[in-house]
Amino acid sequence: MAHTSNTTISSCLLIIVQLFFMLPAKTTAKIPAIIVFGDSSVDSGNNNHIETIARSNFMPYGRDFAGGRPTGRFSNGRITTDFISELAGLKQIVPAYLDPAYNMSDFAVGVCFASAGTGYDNATADVLGVIPLWKQVEYYKEYQKKLRAYLGDTKANEVIREALHATSLGTNDFLENYYTMPQRRSQYTIDQFQIYLVGIAKNFIKNLYNLGARKISLGGLPPMGCMPLERTRNVGNGNECMESYNLVAVNFNEKLNGLVMELNKELPEIQVVLSNPYEPMLQMIKNPSSYGFEVASIACCATGLFEMGYACDRYNLFTCKDANKYIFWDAFHPTERTDRIIADHVVKTALSKFLA
């Protein structure tokens, strides 16, 4: 009986925590909703509901999330888009569209279609069998129908027009696809591949525009050569950041910025911004103590050198005790604290025109 009552108490606590997170923030909302597309940097749990190894719905992931539970976020807690939602005066988390625990009353103010392991290129999504970008758009179309049924056409169209559509992807196109699989390298130089991806990004944003979106944040790439996984591979250079990868990120971000300027001129009433995490992230990595961090080169989880996903498990004795001291949670993803700093930065810079 004791075991049954404990289980019941735990279930009740989880429900209370979930309800708490779905309460709106106290400030007046600047936008009616946040709608998210992308990869593991913003996936709040969609991959829990598809057949893939690209998952994080187990401990120690989520150990600092309210209730100490894994949600499918590749973090010890919340992720950037959760903080952006909160800072915009909306709810404290952006729920995953495929999560049956949520419904249209939740999704009407925040919804995430992102899938860990995906990219602009369909071939990137194929590597780990995750949700490609085109499929995320199909889910968005389905969502729009449900939103119109829930709010009525006029109100739903207003929400879509005024909502912040936030995207974050591209890292996997390079690290998981171009530099790992032979197909794209045989077809394109690295610069040609970037141009190919920017073309996909352009079509994607035009699709969102044609579906009624007007406020769009295009996410830039972080200094991906400084991820612990890439530093571990850089043995010949003392495990420093892989500068060639960082240069690719800088070049790609410049191309994305050019795309943003082009689309703002081309499409009436659209407002596209580039939310670029590169510089603030690099500053944290170069000067961790200035931001209250102690460790920048390795991650909190396991040895911090290469583990992520299933390699980052609850029984690993090497996992750090306090993730707030670390910039990276696993070998590929930032800690909750890092994501909060990045969110603060983009809200004060690129997103200020939407959220001021």
Side-chain angles (χ1 to χ4, degrees):
M1 287 298 289
H3 174 73
T4 304
S5 62
N6 285 341
T7 304
T8 305
I9 291 167
S10 298
S11 300
C12 289
L13 284 172
L14 282 178
I15 291 166
I16 290 165
V17 164
Q18 190 168 307
L19 288 172
F20 169 76
F21 262 141
M22 295 317 293
L23 290 172
K26 289 178 183 175
T27 53
T28 305
K30 312 293 195 304
I31 50 173
I34 179 170
I35 297 167
V36 181
F37 304 85
D39 59 19
S40 60
S41 59
V42 290
D43 182 359
S44 55
N46 284 310
N47 277 20
N48 299 352
H49 307 283
I50 63 171
E51 290 296 323
T52 178
I53 60 164
R55 286 189 179 187
S56 59
N57 56 337
F58 44 83
M59 292 293 279
Y61 287 96
R63 72 179 194 188
D64 298 313
F65 196 87
R69 64 191 179 100
T71 60
R73 290 166 174 80
F74 279 78
S75 171
N76 56 305
R78 287 192 285 165
I79 52 179
T80 311
T81 36
D82 294 323
F83 292 118
I84 292 171
S85 175
E86 183 178 10
L87 290 165
L90 298 169
K91 295 179 181 180
Q92 294 183 329
I93 61 168
V94 182
Y97 182 63
L98 298 184
D99 190 339
Y102 301 97
N103 56 41
M104 282 310 298
S105 64
D106 306 309
F107 296 143
V109 291
V111 63
C112 171
F113 303 104
S115 176
T118 204
Y120 287 108
D121 188 357
N122 288 339
T124 304
D126 290 343
V127 175
L128 293 172
V130 297
I131 305 167
L133 192 55
W134 69 264
K135 181 67 173 176
Q136 294 184 32
V137 175
E138 290 302 307
Y139 281 136
Y140 179 46
K141 290 176 184 175
E142 179 183 270
Y143 162 82
Q144 286 197 350
K145 288 179 184 174
K146 292 178 181 177
L147 189 69
R148 290 189 174 98
Y150 181 69
L151 294 177
D153 285 359
T154 304
K155 179 66 176 172
N157 289 340
E158 181 190 332
V159 167
I160 291 161
R161 187 176 65 252
E162 297 298 325
L164 173 62
H165 293 70
T167 76
S168 177
L169 70 169
T171 304
N172 296 321
D173 289 303
F174 296 100
L175 300 186
E176 189 185 294
N177 181 355
Y178 189 84
Y179 289 117
T180 307
M181 312 299 280
Q183 183 189 359
R184 293 301 187 224
R185 279 202 314 283
S186 69
Q187 294 174 295
Y188 304 109
T189 65
I190 187 62
D191 194 62
Q192 289 169 339
F193 185 61
Q194 291 178 48
I195 293 166
Y196 168 69
L197 296 180
V198 169
I200 297 170
K202 182 177 181 177
N203 288 334
F204 166 64
I205 292 175
K206 282 188 166 184
N207 277 339
L208 294 185
Y209 178 83
N210 290 333
L211 289 167
R214 291 296 178 268
K215 298 177 179 179
I216 300 172
S217 165
L218 190 60
L221 295 188
M224 57 190 184
C226 293
M227 290 174 173
L229 181 67
E230 305 313 324
R231 291 175 81 136
T232 298
R233 290 171 174 167
N234 199 16
V235 179
N237 200 20
N239 298 118
E240 292 298 316
C241 294
M242 194 92 78
E243 290 305 331
S244 60
Y245 286 4
N246 281 357
L247 184 60
V248 167
V250 169
N251 290 340
F252 188 64
N253 288 341
E254 287 174 358
K255 289 181 174 69
L256 288 178
N257 195 49
L259 174 63
V260 164
M261 291 189 287
E262 178 189 336
L263 289 168
N264 281 327
K265 288 177 185 173
E266 185 182 327
L267 301 174
E269 297 183 354
I270 200 171
Q271 297 180 77
V272 192
V273 297
L274 180 68
S275 292
N276 192 348
Y278 187 94
E279 203 52 44
M281 191 92 181
L282 190 64
Q283 289 308 312
M284 279 188 263
I285 291 163
K286 284 184 172 178
N287 309 292
S289 59
S290 301
Y291 296 85
F293 293 108
E294 294 178 12
V295 186
S297 59
I298 63 171
C300 168
C301 192
T303 65
L305 298 172
F306 64 88
E307 296 92 346
M308 58 182 164
Y310 285 109
C312 172
D313 69 83
R314 74 165 78 207
Y315 301 109
N316 198 300
L317 300 176
F318 291 103
T319 297
C320 78
K321 296 288 187 285
D322 183 2
N324 285 332
K325 295 177 181 177
Y326 287 71
I327 291 175
F328 289 95
W329 165 247
D330 65 16
F332 212 79
H333 303 97
T335 55
E336 177 182 64
R337 186 160 175 265
T338 303
D339 271 349
R340 184 188 286 272
I341 294 169
I342 296 295
D344 283 339
H345 172 81
V346 296
V347 163
K348 287 172 185 170
T349 54
L351 300 180
S352 61
K353 68 189 299 180
F354 303 137
L355 305 180

